[in-house]
Amino acid sequence: LFDFKIILGKNGVPVAENFRLEQSTIADTVQAGQVRVKTLYLSVDPYMRCRMNEDTGSDYLQPWQLSQVADGGGVGVVEESKHDNLAKGDFVTSFTWPWQTVAILDGSSLQKLVPQLVNGRLSYFLGAAGITGLTALLGVREKGHVAVGANQTMVVSGAAGACGSLAGQIGRLEGCSRVVGIAGTDEKCSILVQEMGFDAAINYKKENVAEQLRELCPGGVDVYFDNVGGDISDTVISQMNQNSHIILCGQISQYNKDVPYPPPLPPDIEKIQKERNITRERFLVLNYMDKQEASILQLCQWIQEGKLKVR
């Protein structure tokens, strides 16, 4: 059994030396209500950087503990069960899956999966048909104010990431007439346009983002799906329209800094936001779990129909 154990950092860039790999054993017997699972997939996500601090900055995220096994979203298969609703061979998932090859878990903490919903691609339950897809879909629906026929332009930062690549496609499916992504390599930009249906993509490492936005979004920006914060977001916000909307999903450019979440905007950008009545409200997908089941089914339907492309 391999465990990933972590040594925490605070206000700095994580390095390999912050982690260690250990080999150990687990109990031989499975108790009543428990299952033994084999890990198939683990999800490594940006929010985990916040869990490497003693104070995560949010009340819904617990910090990882020194020399304890890290955890996060995971998918596995049941190898032995003493839980009434789970049987050997069932595929299961949890948002607190330990980073171990094998584990004994409380069966009530696991959600049973239906592989057919994602054409057998179990990893999708950690991405497009999981919390990542929910974040993209509910973010667009709850904070984007997208309306069919309104001729809205959406910009997505971190557009080639797991969430951003879905958000742009969902913006289009929900009614945006133009979708522009911002990413960090030519390859990513090419994938966004050629495979995922974005109208255009900007390589922020090589191109002038402000100039490109003016050219690619001549009518301004109506919806901004913000995954990164920082200078890129300031540039986008400066070109947003009156009564437009920011979907505040993430601020990854700020995660290695000791700043509050969401980070405050620079005074000149905050002035633009207020003068143009641009909404910028914290978005937390966990607040919309009453819509989880229907939303997951919608995502799975789009996947099966080929309307939502996943890498």
Side-chain angles (χ1 to χ4, degrees):
L1 171 76
F2 292 95
D3 309 338
F4 293 87
K5 298 196 175 182
I6 185 160
I7 300 164
L8 304 188
K10 160 132 187 157
N11 206 10
V13 179
V15 293
E17 288 72 32
N18 295 137
F19 300 83
R20 70 175 182 263
L21 182 66
E22 289 187 357
Q23 189 165 358
S24 57
T25 57
I26 59 171
D28 292 332
T29 54
V30 176
Q31 305 294 327
Q34 293 182 326
V35 295
R36 188 177 77 238
V37 293
K38 177 184 177 183
T39 300
L40 299 176
Y41 298 98
L42 296 170
S43 187
V44 183
D45 302 292
Y47 79 87
M48 290 175 166
R49 175 61 187 87
C50 305
R51 299 192 67 189
M52 296 181 196
N53 295 335
E54 288 176 282
D55 179 4
T56 65
S58 58
D59 48 13
Y60 63 92
L61 277 183
Q62 295 302 309
W64 282 335
Q65 298 300 306
L66 280 170
S67 295
Q68 298 298 310
V69 181
D71 69 305
V75 165
V77 60
V78 176
E79 294 188 322
E80 182 184 346
S81 175
K82 288 191 178 174
H83 187 276
D84 292 341
N85 297 329
L86 296 172
K88 182 178 180 179
D90 282 348
F91 296 105
V92 290
T93 188
S94 166
F95 198 58
T96 56
W97 195 284
W99 284 15
Q100 303 176 185
T101 53
V102 179
I104 293 176
L105 303 175
D106 181 351
S108 63
S109 70
L110 302 172
Q111 181 181 353
K112 189 151 63 171
L113 299 173
V114 181
Q116 294 87 338
L117 287 174
V118 289
N119 302 326
R121 295 174 178 264
L122 288 166
S123 66
Y124 284 18
F125 286 117
L126 297 178
I131 199 81
T132 312
L134 281 175
T135 301
L137 177 58
L138 292 170
V140 171
R141 286 186 170 174
E142 300 296 328
K143 298 294 185 181
H145 302 273
V146 174
V148 176
N151 196 32
Q152 290 163 300
T153 293
M154 172 188 271
V155 169
V156 184
S157 58
C163 194
S165 61
L166 297 170
Q169 295 179 78
I170 290 167
R172 167 86 74 217
L173 289 166
E174 291 289 287
C176 285
S177 59
R178 186 161 186 77
V179 179
V180 175
I182 302 174
T185 71
D186 289 342
E187 182 190 12
K188 289 177 181 179
C189 290
S190 174
I191 289 167
L192 289 172
V193 175
Q194 294 178 15
E195 294 184 24
M196 299 187 172
F198 283 61
D199 292 285
I202 301 167
N203 181 344
Y204 72 89
K205 291 183 179 177
K206 290 172 70 172
E207 300 176 273
N208 183 306
V209 176
E211 287 179 6
Q212 286 295 303
L213 282 172
R214 278 191 290 273
E215 184 178 322
L216 297 171
C217 310
V221 178
D222 302 295
V223 184
Y224 173 39
F225 199 101
D226 185 6
N227 285 305
V228 304
D231 293 343
I232 286 176
S233 290
D234 297 344
T235 302
V236 177
I237 293 168
S238 68
Q239 297 194 33
M240 293 185 74
N241 292 326
Q242 196 74 23
N243 303 318
S244 54
H245 304 282
I246 299 168
I247 302 165
L248 194 58
C249 178
Q251 300 281 280
I252 197 169
S253 70
Q254 307 299 303
Y255 288 171
N256 288 326
K257 302 173 185 175
D258 190 11
V259 294
Y261 187 88
L265 296 170
D268 56 330
I269 302 300
E270 186 178 15
K271 185 167 181 275
I272 289 172
Q273 182 210 340
K274 289 179 176 173
E275 286 176 351
R276 298 182 193 170
N277 192 35
I278 302 169
T279 63
R280 183 182 184 257
E281 302 160 347
R282 184 169 186 173
F283 169 70
L284 182 58
V285 70
L286 299 178
N287 289 343
Y288 301 94
M289 285 298 99
D290 58 317
K291 302 183 179 181
Q292 176 181 2
E293 191 173 343
S295 299
I296 290 285
L297 289 174
Q298 173 66 85
L299 291 162
C300 290
Q301 182 183 333
W302 281 337
I303 291 167
Q304 289 173 340
E305 293 172 350
K307 291 179 178 177
L308 205 54
K309 303 289 195 305
V310 185
R311 269 205 160 214

